[in-house]
Amino acid sequence: MPEQNPRTIARIIDQIVTELRHARRLLFITGAGMSADSGLPTYRGIGGLYNNKLTDDELPIEVALSGGMMARSPHITWKYIYQIERACRGAHHNDGHRIIAALEDCFESVCVLTQNVDGFHRAAGSRNLIEIQIGRISIRL
């Protein structure tokens, strides 16, 4: 978020609080940015592991981690799985994950739809999760 004037931020927070006072159900849609505050690097973008570049093997990361690459050259896939694991080691859920989970006690229904596979929403206590993975959807309500 670009730097904002404190008055602008206060006005935005007031608008959110006003809307929440009338809400019974909440849906949070989260992605890589949610876990970035936990120290998990995103694959792409500023500060990402691959920052819109090719891997050391001159491959897009999606290709290096694909099932086809695992079948043809598993050493390449394992090289990048290890690299990602090393970058993520020791990370855990953050205040954002905990706040979303805590809101379950304040509303009739709170649901989280996420593409994250780190398990941080569940670890923070969220119970109504829809976790989307390519080729697979896991729903726990």
Side-chain angles (χ1 to χ4, degrees):
M1 173 188 268
E3 186 144 342
Q4 301 262 342
N5 174 316
R7 286 187 187 143
T8 302
I9 294 171
R11 191 175 66 249
I12 292 168
I13 291 171
D14 286 343
Q15 290 172 336
I16 292 169
V17 168
T18 298
E19 291 298 322
L20 288 176
R21 282 193 179 122
H22 301 289
R24 294 182 322 158
R25 297 180 192 96
L26 301 178
L27 169 65
F28 290 92
I29 301 172
T30 68
M34 184 76 189
S35 296
D37 284 348
S38 293
L40 290 187
T42 59
Y43 285 166
R44 301 204 177 281
I46 297 171
L49 282 175
Y50 303 99
N51 202 12
N52 293 323
K53 301 177 199 167
L54 297 177
T55 65
D56 295 340
D57 293 295
E58 300 296 319
L59 299 165
I61 188 60
E62 297 85 359
V63 172
L65 297 175
S66 70
M69 183 61 70
M70 181 63 121
R72 286 188 312 275
S73 301
H75 67 282
I76 290 177
T77 302
W78 283 112
K79 173 182 177 179
Y80 294 103
I81 288 173
Y82 173 71
Q83 201 176 72
I84 292 166
E85 186 278 331
R86 192 176 61 228
C88 298
R89 192 176 298 152
H92 51 84
H93 57 276
N94 62 51
D95 288 343
H97 296 104
R98 285 187 285 278
I99 289 167
I100 290 173
L103 287 171
E104 289 189 19
D105 295 331
C106 304
F107 292 88
E108 182 180 308
S109 175
V110 175
C111 190
V112 178
L113 171 66
T114 186
Q115 66 179 15
N116 295 348
V117 295
D118 51 42
F120 290 168
H121 283 292
R122 184 173 289 111
S126 287
R127 296 180 300 268
N128 300 317
L129 298 172
I130 302 171
E131 297 170 319
I132 299 175
Q133 301 170 27
I134 294 176
R136 189 173 137 204
I137 296 176
S138 168
I139 300 175
R140 186 176 133 191
L141 299 173

